Amino acid sequence: MPTGNGGGDRDAHSERAHQRARNHRGFVRSPETARRDAEACELRSKGWTYRQIADHFGISSRTAWEAVQEALKAIVKEPAEAALQFELDRLDAELVRLGELEEAAREILDRHHVTVANNGQIVHHDGAPLLDDGPVLQAIDRLLKIEDQRRRNGESRRKLLGMDAPSRVSVEAEQLGREISRLLDTALGEDAGDDADA
């Protein structure tokens, strides 16, 4: 089989490395295969057939097809991952802010508060300043709200990470990648399934 990079041994080695990059859960991309997949996708967008891509890299047509599919999935997945990281960073910043609010509320709890009359004078009872429970109760209420906000923060984080329910990001990315590939195949007038199996 003709190749674009020369050296049958090197091509066979690349094919074996590509196959080793799989595990029981699917495809695990190395930097080398990621670069190869991106180039394969670019060649496909220029109208190359899977057979031509396969010959160029010294791989099978099926592997060429898979390389293009992986690159398409990465194109769709990367923006979703960036959005996910943005949301996680926002939740982290919220936790920092909640920590500062908690510290301020606890400082209020540690102070002694006295009741002050409308004229600005401290109210006394039996010769001692009358303690004011209002600020303490407000601080306790604030702490309860902070804990509730922390709980909601944790729920949001679990949802984003797919810990409470299956994440649809990878499924939707894969479906969109297949749709892009189908449209590309249609535009190029080539049946991906037939060529990939060739």
Side-chain angles (χ1 to χ4, degrees):
M1 179 182 295
T3 65
N5 57 7
D9 291 340
R10 186 168 54 186
D11 297 333
H13 174 73
S14 295
E15 180 73 7
R16 285 193 300 274
H18 181 78
Q19 294 302 323
R20 281 197 305 271
R22 293 177 177 278
N23 62 23
H24 67 284
R25 289 174 296 173
F27 191 74
V28 178
R29 300 169 84 203
S30 68
E32 179 185 337
T33 56
R35 282 190 294 272
R36 193 272 320 273
D37 293 353
E39 186 181 349
C41 190
E42 183 179 355
L43 294 173
R44 180 70 178 146
S45 71
K46 292 178 180 177
W48 285 41
T49 66
Y50 290 112
R51 169 56 62 194
Q52 289 171 324
I53 295 170
D55 289 346
H56 177 73
F57 290 108
I59 57 179
S60 69
S61 293
R62 181 71 186 174
T63 302
W65 180 84
E66 289 173 351
V68 172
Q69 301 312 303
E70 288 300 321
L72 288 172
K73 279 193 281 186
I75 289 169
V76 175
K77 186 178 177 185
E78 285 167 10
E81 288 178 340
L84 172 63
Q85 188 58 53
F86 174 82
E87 289 300 320
L88 291 173
D89 290 345
R90 184 184 64 78
L91 290 173
D92 287 343
E94 182 182 49
L95 287 177
V96 171
R97 182 179 61 81
L98 290 173
E100 293 169 352
L101 290 173
E102 179 183 10
E103 186 177 337
R106 292 196 181 281
E107 286 177 4
I108 290 172
L109 285 177
D110 290 340
R111 295 185 200 139
H112 292 288
H113 304 277
V114 295
T115 303
V116 178
N118 290 338
N119 62 6
Q121 298 294 315
I122 295 175
V123 177
H124 288 79
H125 178 68
D126 292 335
L130 182 64
L131 295 180
D132 184 3
D133 294 334
V136 173
L137 294 174
Q138 288 176 4
I140 291 171
D141 185 58
R142 176 58 60 89
L143 288 171
L144 290 173
K145 289 179 179 177
I146 288 170
E147 283 308 307
D148 184 58
Q149 190 61 39
R150 277 203 181 108
R151 179 186 55 76
R152 283 185 281 168
N153 183 293
E155 289 173 357
S156 296
R157 187 179 304 274
R158 285 194 302 275
K159 285 178 184 175
L160 284 170
L161 296 174
M163 296 169 73
D164 290 341
S167 174
R168 294 189 53 81
V169 173
S170 60
V171 174
E172 290 171 357
E174 188 172 339
Q175 289 172 346
L176 187 53
R178 283 198 301 266
E179 181 64 14
I180 292 171
S181 179
R182 186 188 65 75
L183 292 171
L184 189 57
D185 291 336
T186 301
L188 295 172
E190 181 177 346
D191 186 341
D194 291 344
D195 189 53
D197 293 332

